[in-house]
Amino acid sequence: MNPIFHPAAASSLLIVVRPEPPGQYTAQAVGLPEIQATAADREEAIKQVQATLRQWLAEGRLVVFPVPPPQPWLPGFGQVDPNDPLEQEFLQDLARFRQEDLERTLREYEQEDRECPNTSSTPTT
């Protein structure tokens, strides 16, 4: 596989097609004004641009590299505003739930201790 061009790295490219000059079509790769072709019909102009793109990729004049999609939520992820009233309410609820869970667990242990007598599992003779 050619290390410069990996099919998964580039899924599509825009090509602009204009009916000019009169009776012909001009196709151009968007963002690459150097890559354009004029032909008698639309499909032929597009094929010529595609062929030039393939040639430039094969020669290394164009290099494909992956660009990860933007993550607009990432910069603020995990950040907490200590002045946010909803954040304060959440933290208070969380502390209350933890305390209630601790108290419930301690009551359950106390109940188990009352129900289970202090006996050893070792038989005595």
Side-chain angles (χ1 to χ4, degrees):
M1 166 116 2
N2 183 343
I4 295 173
F5 178 69
H6 189 279
S11 60
S12 62
L13 181 72
L14 296 174
I15 297 175
V16 176
V17 182
R18 294 180 300 275
E20 58 182 46
Q24 294 186 320
Y25 291 88
T26 299
Q28 177 183 342
V30 173
L32 298 167
E34 310 85 359
I35 300 181
Q36 69 175 0
T38 302
D41 63 58
R42 175 183 175 87
E43 289 72 26
E44 182 58 32
I46 293 171
K47 284 180 186 177
Q48 289 179 21
V49 168
Q50 290 171 332
T52 303
L53 283 166
R54 284 189 200 95
Q55 179 183 355
W56 281 33
L57 285 165
E59 295 171 353
R61 293 173 70 181
L62 282 177
V63 179
V64 176
F65 64 96
V67 177
Q71 303 294 336
W73 50 267
L74 192 57
F77 184 74
Q79 295 181 2
V80 176
D81 179 5
N83 300 317
D84 181 2
L86 290 177
E87 179 68 21
Q88 292 303 313
E89 182 180 344
F90 169 75
L91 292 174
Q92 290 169 358
D93 286 346
L94 183 60
R96 189 180 79 248
F97 293 146
R98 285 180 175 170
Q99 184 63 35
E100 290 171 358
D101 185 52
L102 175 62
E103 291 170 1
R104 183 175 39 255
T105 301
L106 291 174
R107 282 192 306 271
E108 289 171 1
Y109 285 155
E110 288 172 359
Q111 182 70 25
E112 287 176 10
D113 286 345
R114 283 191 296 267
E115 293 174 359
C116 182
N118 277 340
T119 60
S120 172
S121 61
T122 306
T124 57
T125 55

